[in-house]
């Protein structure tokens, strides 16, 4: 028996040594490496628009460019006119409300409140020409602004306060000949500047991304993924992937990290397990507004103060407006730690006419918790605002803010809340009591951009810690390291103390008796 | 008195490895619990899991050994002499009275030890291993199609695991003290290290019986 074992060992051991010395394990690229390889090929346009005779002419009006586009790309206009970028509405099922058409056209937010009555200014960011009132004709395809998204010359720019029309001195021929796949600045022109200034709204989308390094955003960084927005936000029939749950309601057409990275991208199983209930963003966006400041608080009730009868502005060191007569007091912050909430892919929204049931008024709610199917913990920026409401009907109001002229009721021209609210409410056909007050509101912005390099992602102990856990607001789940049953802990400690006490008493008694005995023997 | 080979090699290996693992699991476990910080949470979790798997492997071997050698019979509980044993710990031990139950290679455990160790083997260890495995493999019932354990929250699992941990700490403290209650202060410890212990010979027992 021993002989056989010995023989086997003699043959096996050298074989093992040879194997270990000469056979290297086959190299298997990681999921991330495969992903990086697949992204090395950048898409190139197959056509050169500057060679087309149709575009080699002088365009009088921007609409002439659009008509020329449609003359070749026929029916694309119909696609565009079905999108939310054009309609400023999406028809969606909202829990407890049924099918609702909601979008920038009719929603309320806690930045500039609503576009109603101020379309001429706000709609600079509409992908159309001339959307200056609620009576805009959404069926006229020549008013589609193809260039705002497809200009690749970098020369195209929309005019201020002109309802989406471009500046008049532009070289439309050159711009039209440059068209192609949207670049970051096509999207960023509006999406980085929403809410009236760079990074004002999102906190994770801003102009610094044009030149950012990997520490700011691994995907968009020139020394990182070098992505364009549309590399991830792909489109089918002009319907672009990705939702924004300040207006979206349903769990559809979402763009997820998992689409590229899979649901289990980590080498360690225990980290992969977290993805059941923790969104990628939670650990990988540990901080936002990394370069420029974003608005976090806005007090409209302070608006309207004048100096020598004229409106005035106060800037902070970074050049952001912290007081404007038009807008009131605004707080800007950078390098922010997100707040964390449950999110299951759906949201409900405060709609005009809803009565206020809770303060702060939640303008969008995710209605999720640990137990909800598909719910995960997500990082959010919470925008907090004090904005006008009607204390008699107990609902938020829509003041008219902008107009080109004084005397039309616009708050930014006349600085009269009562008049502005009266005009605004008549415009949206909602009754108003004639009284106004100010109420606190909240809005939740999911953070998806400014993903940090993996070395900077959250560590276990950022959440799994007794005090100051990042997830202190998530209290419907047992988190090891953070949570415990005080009752069990105290009883357990009491039990241990009791045993120690018993040992000390019993041992002490033994020692005392031993000494007595020795003394006794000594006496003898 | 006679030197008797009482703890065999595997038994000693099993005992000391288990002792180390239980101590280590307790240490890393209470760090994961948030009681203190030493390795750091992440490292503590990893070490705790490695130690847990090691303990499970060890226990599988120990179970096999107990049945293969018949040593499992050592843990059959008995109420015989249990009062004597309790009285010994309360009074007799102070007056240097002899141990009421004679220790032999065939019966190493006194009735109290039998009860406590059996409790460890069939209640506390299974509790810790079951809750530990659930702790590791528990999933929120997210997927309708897969195997579904309808435990909605980790808290119940974690609470029972914590209760078990406190009981084990209490046991270890009492156990460490009771080591000193052998024939001499260190005879039990020496026996578990070397395997040999000086035990009373058969003859003396006969004498004891007569004196009764």
């Amino acid at each position: 028996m021993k002989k056989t074992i010995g023989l086997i060992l003699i043959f096996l051991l050298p074989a093992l040594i040879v194997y270990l010395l000469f056979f290297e394990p086959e190299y298997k690229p990681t999921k991330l490496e495969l992903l990086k390889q697949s992204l090395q090929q950048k898409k190139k346009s197959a056509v050169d628009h500057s060679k087309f005779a149709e575009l080699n002419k002088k365009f009088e009006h921007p609409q002439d460019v659009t008509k020329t586009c449609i003359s070749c790309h026929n029916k694309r206009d119909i696609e565009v006119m079905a999108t939310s970028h054009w309609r400023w509405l999406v028809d969606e099922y909202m829990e407890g409300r049924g099918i609702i058409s909601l979008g920038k056209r009719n929603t309320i937010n806690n930045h500039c409140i609503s576009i109603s009555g101020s379309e001429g200014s706000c709609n600079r960011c509409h992908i159309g020409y001339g959307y200056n009132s609620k009576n805009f004709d959404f069926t006229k395809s020549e008013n589609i602004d193809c260039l705002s998204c497809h200009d690749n010359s970098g020369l195209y720019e929309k005019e201020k306060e002109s309802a989406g029309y471009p500046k008049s001195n532009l070289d439309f021929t050159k711009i039209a000949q440059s068209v192609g796949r949207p670049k970051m600045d096509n999207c960023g022109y509006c999406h980085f500047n929403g809410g009236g200034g760079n990074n004002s709204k999102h906190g994770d989308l801003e102009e610094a991304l044009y030149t950012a390094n990997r520490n700011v955003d691994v995907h968009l960084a020139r020394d990182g993924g070098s992505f364009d927005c549309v590399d991830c936000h792909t489109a089918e029939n002009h319907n672009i992937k990705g939702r924004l749950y300040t207006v979206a309601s349903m769990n559809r057409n979402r763009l997820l990290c998992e689409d590229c990275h899979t649901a289990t991208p980590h080498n360690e199983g225990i980290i992969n397990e977290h993805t059941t209930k923790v969104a990628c963003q939670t650990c990988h966006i540990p901080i936002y507004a990394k370069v420029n400041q974003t608005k976090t608080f806005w007090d409209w009730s302070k608006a309207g103060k004048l100096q020598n009868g004229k409106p005035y502005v106060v800037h902070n060191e970074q050049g952001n407006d912290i007081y404007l007569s038009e807008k009131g007091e605004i707080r800007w912050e950078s390098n922010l730690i997100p707040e964390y909430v449950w999110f299951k892919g759906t949201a409900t929204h405060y709609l005009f006419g809803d009565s206020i049931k809770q303060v702060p008024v939640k303008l969008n709610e995710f209605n999720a918790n640990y137990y909800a199917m598909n719910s995960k913990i997500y990082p959010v920026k919470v925008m907090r605002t004090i904005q006008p409401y009607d204390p008699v009907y107990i609902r938020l109001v829509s003041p008219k803010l902008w107009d080109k002229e004084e005397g039309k009721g616009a708050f930014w021209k006349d600085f009269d809340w009562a008049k502005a609210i009266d005009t605004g409410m008549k415009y949206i056909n909602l009754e108003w009591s004639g009284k106004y007050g100010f109420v606190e509101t909240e809005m939740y912005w999911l953070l998806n951009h400014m993903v940090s390099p993996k070395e900077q992602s959250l560590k276990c102990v950022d959440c799994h810690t007794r005090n100051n856990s990042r997830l202190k607001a998530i209290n419907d789940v047992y988190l090891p390291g953070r949570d415990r049953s005080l009752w069990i802990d105290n009883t357990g400690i009491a039990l241990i103390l009791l045993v120690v006490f018993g040992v000390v008493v019993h041992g002490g008694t033994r020692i005392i008796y031993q000494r007595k005995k020795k003394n006794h023997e000594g006496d003898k | 008195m006679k030197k008797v080979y009482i703890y065999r090699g595997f038994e000693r290996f099993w005992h000391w490895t288990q002792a180390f693992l239980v101590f280590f699991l307790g240490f890393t476990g209470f760090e994961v619990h948030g009681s203190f910080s030493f390795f750091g949470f992440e490292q503590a979790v990893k070490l705790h899991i490695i130690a847990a798997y090691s303990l499970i492997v060890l226990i599988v071997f120990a179970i096999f050994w107990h049945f293969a050698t018949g040593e499992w019979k050592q843990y059959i509980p008995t109420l015989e002499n249990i009062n004597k044993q309790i009285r010994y710990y309360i009074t007799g031990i102070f007056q240097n009275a002899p141990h009421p139950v004679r220790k032999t290679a065939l019966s190493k455990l006194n009735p109290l030890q039998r009860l406590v160790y059996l409790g460890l083997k069939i209640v506390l260890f299974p509790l810790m291993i079951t809750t530990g495995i659930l702790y590791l493999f528990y999933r929120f019932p997210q997927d309708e199609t897969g195997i579904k354990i309808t435990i909605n929250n980790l808290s119940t699992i974690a609470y029972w695991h914590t209760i078990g941990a406190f009981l084990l700490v209490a046991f270890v403290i009492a156990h460490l003290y009771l080591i000193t209650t052998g024939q001499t202060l260190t005879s039990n410890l020496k026996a578990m290290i070397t395997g040999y212990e000086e035990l009373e010979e058969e003859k003396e027992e006969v004498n004891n019986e007569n004196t009764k």
Side-chain angles (χ1 to χ4, degrees), chain A residues 268 270 273 276-277 370-371 373-374 460-461 464 466 476-478 480-481 483-485 488-489 492-493 495-496 499-500 503 506-507 509-510 513-514 517, chain B residues 32-35 41-42 45-46 49 89 93-94 96 135 138-142 144 152-155 158-159 162-163 166-167 169-170 173 177 180-181 185:
Chain A
E268 286 181 58
I270 198 161
E273 285 163 21
T276 325
K277 279 287 157 193
Y370 170 73
Y371 299 97
M373 202 52 90
N374 298 319
C460 308
V461 77
H464 294 278
R466 186 83 82 222
D476 52 354
V477 59
Y478 183 93
D483 294 333
R484 59 179 166 162
S485 153
I488 292 174
D489 269 29
I493 291 163
L495 173 75
I496 289 168
V499 173
V500 171
V503 165
H506 198 269
T509 317
R510 273 170 72 200
Y513 269 89
Q514 212 66 33
K517 205 180 144 200
Chain B
V32 173
H33 187 58
S35 304
F41 184 88
E42 186 173 359
V45 169
K46 283 179 188 165
I49 292 172
Y89 283 130
I93 188 168
F94 303 123
N96 279 347
Y135 211 127
Y138 148 84
R139 294 287 173 286
F140 185 84
Q142 187 85 291
E144 297 281 12
N152 270 333
N153 209 324
L154 187 60
S155 56
Y159 290 160
T162 315
I163 290 170
F166 276 115
L167 289 173
V169 172
I173 295 168
Y177 171 67
T180 65
T181 63
L185 280 181

Side-chain angles (χ1 to χ4, degrees), chain A residues 479-520:
Chain A
L479 203 61
R482 184 193 69 172
D483 294 333
R484 59 179 166 162
S485 153
L486 256 187
W487 191 87
I488 292 174
D489 269 29
N490 288 338
T491 314
I493 291 163
L495 173 75
I496 289 168
L497 290 177
L498 201 70
V499 173
V500 171
F501 177 75
V503 165
V504 169
V505 169
H506 198 269
T509 317
R510 273 170 72 200
I511 292 166
I512 290 164
Y513 269 89
Q514 212 66 33
R515 287 222 179 114
K516 267 188 188 170
K517 205 180 144 200
K518 264 187 191 156
N519 290 343
H520 194 64

Side-chain angles (χ1 to χ4, degrees), chain A residues 91-196:
Chain A
D91 309 323
E92 289 203 296
Y93 174 80
M94 198 196 299
E95 283 170 72
R97 304 300 285 260
I99 310 258
I100 301 273
S101 291
L102 188 69
K104 284 183 177 292
R105 210 197 284 192
N106 59 0
T107 194
I108 183 163
N109 68 33
N110 60 5
H111 283 80
C112 287
I113 303 176
S114 152
I115 70 161
S116 297
S118 311
E119 285 92 343
S121 176
C122 303
N123 291 2
R124 183 183 177 193
C125 270
H126 181 250
I127 57 151
Y129 304 127
Y131 181 2
N132 59 6
S133 82
K134 59 181 176 183
N135 302 317
F136 178 67
D137 185 351
F138 287 93
T139 61
K140 275 192 162 172
S141 61
E142 73 250 38
N143 280 329
I144 295 171
D145 182 353
C146 307
L147 298 175
S148 60
C149 302
H150 293 285
D151 163 47
N152 276 182
S153 69
L155 298 170
Y156 189 76
E157 199 177 343
K158 292 206 176 209
E159 186 60 273
K160 276 187 180 171
E161 307 186 340
S162 303
Y165 275 103
K167 294 192 164 173
S168 51
N169 57 352
L170 300 177
D171 182 349
F172 288 119
T173 310
K174 201 172 170 190
I175 293 168
Q177 287 177 347
S178 79
V179 294
R181 201 165 170 263
K183 289 182 175 170
M184 204 200 293
D185 57 347
N186 296 95
C187 309
Y189 187 74
C190 288
H191 289 278
F192 293 168
N193 289 296

Side-chain angles (χ1 to χ4, degrees), chain B residues 6-23 54-67 69 71-72 74-75 108-109 113 117-118 120-122 125 129 171 175 192-193:
Chain B
I6 191 162
Y7 299 120
R8 279 178 260 181
F10 176 80
E11 206 171 4
R12 282 174 284 142
F13 164 78
W14 162 58
H15 173 269
W16 288 114
T17 314
Q18 179 164 291
F20 168 76
L21 287 174
V22 165
F23 175 80
S54 313
L55 183 64
I56 289 172
V57 171
L58 182 71
I59 285 174
V60 169
F61 276 98
I63 290 171
F64 175 77
W65 178 86
H66 274 86
F67 284 104
T69 58
E71 283 288 304
W72 63 275
Q74 300 269 6
Y75 302 93
K108 307 172 206 179
L109 305 175
Q113 283 175 315
Y117 294 163
L118 184 69
L120 275 183
K121 280 171 196 292
I122 65 169
F125 272 88
I129 290 168
F171 164 79
H175 183 68
M192 195 45 95
I193 294 170

